[in-house]
């Protein structure tokens, strides 16, 4: 029991809100980071590659709460098109939650894109410079086939690993972001429980964070083994 209520009853709505926040951030970040990472590798040393690399370094160097503050200044104070505080009730639909949580989703997406795109670009460049890609070029294979049929599968395992780890790290960053935007998720609940010394709630949230982190790590290893051509079983 916690606050004269079952812990599960307290955690359930907050857990759903946090998973919605992280889930939609991932839906935005993963396709963008993979696509831009491949494009940056293919157009190496171009203006797009240099500009995107500079933005990636900035996004990785700037703390999440600073990015959140900048977005609040731009979209909430200057442009006044997005709410600075995520006011969500239990009766809100998913669309209403997304409208009120646009800024925290944007912050988490930016952080995730920076990490995944950097690894995707580096991995693709390494594969494109490998010998078997050069052999394919000498044999007259089209560049698009070399990139998407041969190079991409070999470059996916590192990107999948960092994607899973980025998702896991979002659970740590979501505590700060939820606090900045007053988003009613698991992170805000954890901070409030620590302040109130509500140990059952703190223990439950720590277990959820830990289990999710371990589960995503195992999922990353499994996905990498499936995506890596060198680890696939050769069928005769």
């Amino acid at each position: 029991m916690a606050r004269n209520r079952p812990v599960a009853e307290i955690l359930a709505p907050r857990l759903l809100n946090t998973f919605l926040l992280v889930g939609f951030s991932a839906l935005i970040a993963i396709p963008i980071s993979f696509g831009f990472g491949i494009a940056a590798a293919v157009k190496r040393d171009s203006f797009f590659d240099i500009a995107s690399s500079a933005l990636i370094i900035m996004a990785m160097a700037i703390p999440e709460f600073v990015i959140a503050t900048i977005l609040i200044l731009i979209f909430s104070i200057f442009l006044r098109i997005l709410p600075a505080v995520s006011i969500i009730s239990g009766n809100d639909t998913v669309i209403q939650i997304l409208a009120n949580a646009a800024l925290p989703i944007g912050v988490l997406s930016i952080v995730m894109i920076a990490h995944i795109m950097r690894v995707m670009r580096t991995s693709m460049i390494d594969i494109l410079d490998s010998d078997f890609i050069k052999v394919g070029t000498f044999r007259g294979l089209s560049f698009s086939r070399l990139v998407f049929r041969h190079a991409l599968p070999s470059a996916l395992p590192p990107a999948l690993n960092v994607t899973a780890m980025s998702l896991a790290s979002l659970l740590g960053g979501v505590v700060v972001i939820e606090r900045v935007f007053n988003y009613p998720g698991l992170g805000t609940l954890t901070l409030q429980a620590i302040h109130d010394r509500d140990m059952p709630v703190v223990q439950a949230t720590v277990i959820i964070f830990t289990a999710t982190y371990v589960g995503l790590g195992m999922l990353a290893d499994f996905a990498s083994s499936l995506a890596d051509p060198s680890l696939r079983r050769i069928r005769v």
Side-chain angles (χ1 to χ4, degrees), residues 148-226:
F148 294 104
R149 184 78 180 270
H150 300 285
L152 183 58
S154 299
L156 275 180
L160 291 176
N161 271 310
V162 77
T163 299
M165 292 299 100
S166 296
L167 284 171
S169 65
L170 283 186
L171 292 176
V174 81
V175 176
V176 177
I177 298 305
E178 287 184 0
R179 186 63 175 175
V180 171
F181 294 99
N182 197 31
Y183 183 84
L186 203 60
T188 306
L189 178 64
T190 303
L191 293 176
Q192 187 62 45
I194 293 173
H195 179 269
D196 297 339
R197 297 184 180 180
D198 193 344
M199 292 308 299
V201 174
V202 173
Q203 291 171 346
T205 55
V206 169
I207 290 173
I208 292 173
F209 286 145
T210 304
T212 305
Y213 192 93
V214 173
L216 287 172
M218 295 175 63
L219 181 62
D221 291 338
F222 179 71
S224 298
S225 64
L226 291 179

Side-chain angles (χ1 to χ4, degrees), residues 30-215:
I30 292 175
I32 292 176
S33 55
F34 273 60
F36 280 23
I38 294 171
V42 170
K43 298 180 180 180
R44 194 186 334 177
D45 298 330
S46 65
F47 175 79
F48 173 79
D49 182 28
I50 296 172
S52 61
S53 298
L55 292 175
I56 286 173
I57 294 173
M58 290 176 59
M60 295 178 66
I62 300 175
E64 294 173 351
F65 67 89
V66 176
I67 297 177
T69 304
I70 294 173
L71 293 185
I72 290 173
L73 287 173
I74 296 175
F75 294 101
S76 298
I77 296 178
F78 295 146
L79 299 179
R80 297 183 180 181
I81 58 177
L82 294 175
V85 178
S86 300
I87 301 175
I88 297 172
S89 65
N91 298 324
D92 288 346
T93 63
V94 175
I95 301 300
Q96 291 173 326
I97 292 175
L98 291 178
N100 289 316
L103 286 181
I105 289 175
V107 174
L108 295 177
S109 298
I110 289 172
V111 174
M112 194 171 179
I113 287 171
H115 287 86
I116 300 176
M117 182 178 170
R118 179 174 178 270
V119 174
M120 189 71 220
R121 174 188 177 276
T122 303
S123 181
M124 279 293 295
I125 288 177
D126 291 340
I127 298 300
L128 290 174
D129 288 340
S130 61
D131 292 336
F132 81 93
I133 295 295
K134 294 178 181 178
V135 170
T137 303
F138 294 149
R139 289 183 176 180
L141 297 179
S142 65
F143 185 71
S144 60
R145 183 178 180 181
L146 287 173
V147 170
F148 294 104
R149 184 78 180 270
H150 300 285
L152 183 58
S154 299
L156 275 180
L160 291 176
N161 271 310
V162 77
T163 299
M165 292 299 100
S166 296
L167 284 171
S169 65
L170 283 186
L171 292 176
V174 81
V175 176
V176 177
I177 298 305
E178 287 184 0
R179 186 63 175 175
V180 171
F181 294 99
N182 197 31
Y183 183 84
L186 203 60
T188 306
L189 178 64
T190 303
L191 293 176
Q192 187 62 45
I194 293 173
H195 179 269
D196 297 339
R197 297 184 180 180
D198 193 344
M199 292 308 299
V201 174
V202 173
Q203 291 171 346
T205 55
V206 169
I207 290 173
I208 292 173
F209 286 145
T210 304
T212 305
Y213 192 93
V214 173

